[in-house]
């Protein structure tokens, strides 16, 4: 999940279709195809300050997922992965950020209405902004209050859930809105088979009877890059992590629940549907993983330096 409120997006420059433009000029036409039919794919990355300067966390994996998402939607991206990587560095530098969230977007633009996509209309942009959500950095002792959503997580038979596509997020936004309306911070979604899938914008892990478990990719979740990083960190720390289906009841009886994602980082769930998890406070495993993750992303743990791309 992201922070509880909407992120305040502010920057000097945005990269659009090959050049940096002032924030106020980064506009699209009202007949942009993506605006009508959700034909856009995107990524969310973070740049962190490290002892050797600002570095982007797992840049290659994010760009690979971006281009795979575009491929699933048959988008002819007019830039190479290397050009998008260069655009990301350029945009961060132009905004003089040392830490920020980064949002590359590829979308069908202008060139005709109707479901048929514009043949030459694929456009791209890179935005970045400061977005601090780190729970451990904020010294919080309680985590998110969540509810199991009445909305089912979209099914891979209806839409490609492995694509990080804008269209998938209408489902997530409905879940998030419902959670907020009902007084919670975040939603946890079940899949069509009633098994635990993920939060609206984060993967989920549960500690139960000493084991750390996360739903498998076959549960219809996004193949999260933080999920992959956390699994590696748990194993390197001598722990075991299992991928198997979880029922809703497994959440209520969990010792700890935490959500992971680029925006959310490692965020604990300390209440679900009015039931206290981990006695309503941050669990020891969640806390340890928050510390280890922070070290990994900020270049303080040399085992993970290979995950960093310096600006
Ligand atoms: C639906 C969903 N699941 C999981 C994640 C976590 O993915 P990642 O760790 O690659 O940021 C996100 C991130 O935005 C997401 O939107």
């Amino acid at each position: 999940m992201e922070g509880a409120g909407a992120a305040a997006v502010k920057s000097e420059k945005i990269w659009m279709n090959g050049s940096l433009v002032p924030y106020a000029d980064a506009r699209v036409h009202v007949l942009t195809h993506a605006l009508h039919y959700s034909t856009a794919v995107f990524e969310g990355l973070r740049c962190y300050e490290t002892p050797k300067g600002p570095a982007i966390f797992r840049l290659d994996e994010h760009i690979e997922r971006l281009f795979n998402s575009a491929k699933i939607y048959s988008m002819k991206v007019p830039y190479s992965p290397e050009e998008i990587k260069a655009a990301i560095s350029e945009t961060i530098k132009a905004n003089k950020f040392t830490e920020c969230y980064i949002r590359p977007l590829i979308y069908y633009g202008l060139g005709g209405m109707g479901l048929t996509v514009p043949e030459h209309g694929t456009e791209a942009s890179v935005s970045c902004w400061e977005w601090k959500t780190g729970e451990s950095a904020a010294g919080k002792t309680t985590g998110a209050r969540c509810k199991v959503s009445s909305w089912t997580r979209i099914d891979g038979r209806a839409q490609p859930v492995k694509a990080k596509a804008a269209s998938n997020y209408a489902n997530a936004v409905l879940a998030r809105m419902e959670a907020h309306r009902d007084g919670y911070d975040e939603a946890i979604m079940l899949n069509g088979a009633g098994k635990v899938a993920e939060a609206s914008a984060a993967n989920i892990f549960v500690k139960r009877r000493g084991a750390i478990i996360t739903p498998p990719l076959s549960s219809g979740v996004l193949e999260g890059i933080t999920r992959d990083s956390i699994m590696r960190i748990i194993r390197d720390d001598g722990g075991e992590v299992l991928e198997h289906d979880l029922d809703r009841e497994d959440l209520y009886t969990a010792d700890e629940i935490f959500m992971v994602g680029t925006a959310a980082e490692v965020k604990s769930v300390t209440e679900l549907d009015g039931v206290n998890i981990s006695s309503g406070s941050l669990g020891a495993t969640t806390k340890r993983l928050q510390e280890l993750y922070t070290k990994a992303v900020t270049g303080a743990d040399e085992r993970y330096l290979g995950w960093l791309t310096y600006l």
Side-chain angles (χ1 to χ4, degrees):
M1 80 172 256
E2 299 142 13
V9 178
K10 219 170 126 247
S11 67
E12 293 289 319
K13 303 271 187 195
I14 291 180
W15 184 95
M16 275 190 96
N17 298 321
S19 51
L20 287 167
V21 298
Y23 179 91
D25 297 340
R27 300 167 191 270
V28 293
H29 195 278
V30 74
L31 293 181
T32 294
H33 198 273
L35 203 52
H36 297 249
Y37 305 112
S38 267
T39 44
V41 298
F42 66 94
E43 266 309 316
L45 308 83
R46 273 188 189 271
C47 174
Y48 289 93
E49 267 192 74
T50 80
K52 288 192 203 152
I56 302 162
F57 187 64
R58 302 202 71 174
L59 176 65
D60 290 345
E61 291 84 351
H62 280 282
I63 296 303
E64 183 186 28
R65 190 171 65 184
L66 178 68
F67 276 78
N68 281 340
S69 300
K71 192 173 183 188
I72 290 167
Y73 279 87
S74 301
M75 289 171 159
K76 292 183 193 120
V77 188
Y79 303 98
S80 68
E82 290 313 314
E83 284 171 319
I84 297 293
K85 286 182 198 174
I88 288 173
S89 287
E90 201 187 331
T91 311
I92 299 171
K93 285 180 193 160
N95 285 293
K96 301 187 180 66
F97 287 141
T98 52
E99 289 205 316
C100 61
Y101 179 83
I102 308 148
R103 170 58 57 82
L105 176 76
I106 298 173
Y107 57 99
Y108 284 115
L110 207 53
M113 275 289 119
L115 290 186
T116 306
V117 296
E119 199 179 341
H120 303 293
T122 309
E123 305 199 23
S125 70
V126 177
S127 314
C128 55
W129 59 88
E130 288 180 308
W131 194 0
K132 292 196 193 315
T133 59
E135 185 174 85
S136 51
K140 285 184 72 178
T141 52
T142 56
R145 298 178 56 249
C146 295
K147 79 166 263 165
V148 173
S149 185
S150 71
W151 293 103
T152 299
R153 162 82 178 154
I154 44 163
D155 190 296
R157 288 168 295 186
Q159 281 181 215
V161 289
K162 280 193 178 155
K164 196 168 166 67
S167 56
N168 296 355
Y169 285 86
N171 174 247
V173 166
L174 285 168
R176 174 74 66 84
M177 283 199 302
E178 179 192 63
H180 284 183
R181 199 169 52 229
D182 292 351
Y184 293 92
D185 301 317
E186 171 62 316
I188 293 178
M189 302 183 78
L190 307 180
N191 63 23
K195 302 294 179 189
V196 176
E198 59 184 334
S200 59
N203 292 110
I204 195 157
F205 286 75
V206 159
K207 186 171 180 211
R208 203 165 171 271
R209 297 196 184 119
I212 301 175
I213 308 157
T214 191
L217 297 179
S218 58
S219 66
V221 299
L222 183 73
E223 192 171 359
I225 291 162
T226 318
R227 176 185 183 275
D228 178 72
S229 309
I230 286 293
M231 287 170 70
R232 160 99 186 266
I233 289 170
I234 292 169
R235 288 174 180 141
D236 287 352
D237 198 39
E240 197 187 350
V241 56
L242 308 170
E243 289 177 87
H244 68 68
D245 278 328
L246 289 163
D247 294 313
R248 181 173 182 168
E249 308 87 282
D250 298 330
L251 297 177
Y252 299 124
T253 56
D255 299 323
E256 295 182 36
I257 303 176
F258 55 94
M259 303 177 281
V260 309
T262 299
E265 300 175 321
V266 181
K267 189 151 179 42
S268 62
V269 176
T270 49
E271 189 189 317
L272 182 67
D273 295 334
V275 177
N276 274 347
I277 311 295
S278 181
S279 312
S281 59
L282 240 68
T285 301
T286 308
K287 227 171 164 177
R288 172 145 186 89
L289 290 171
Q290 285 177 341
E291 285 161 12
L292 289 171
Y293 184 73
T294 300
K295 282 186 180 162
V297 297
T298 56
D301 187 333
E302 61 183 28
R303 289 174 296 180
Y304 308 115
L305 291 180
W307 282 344
L308 305 181
T309 301
Y310 298 96
L311 283 193

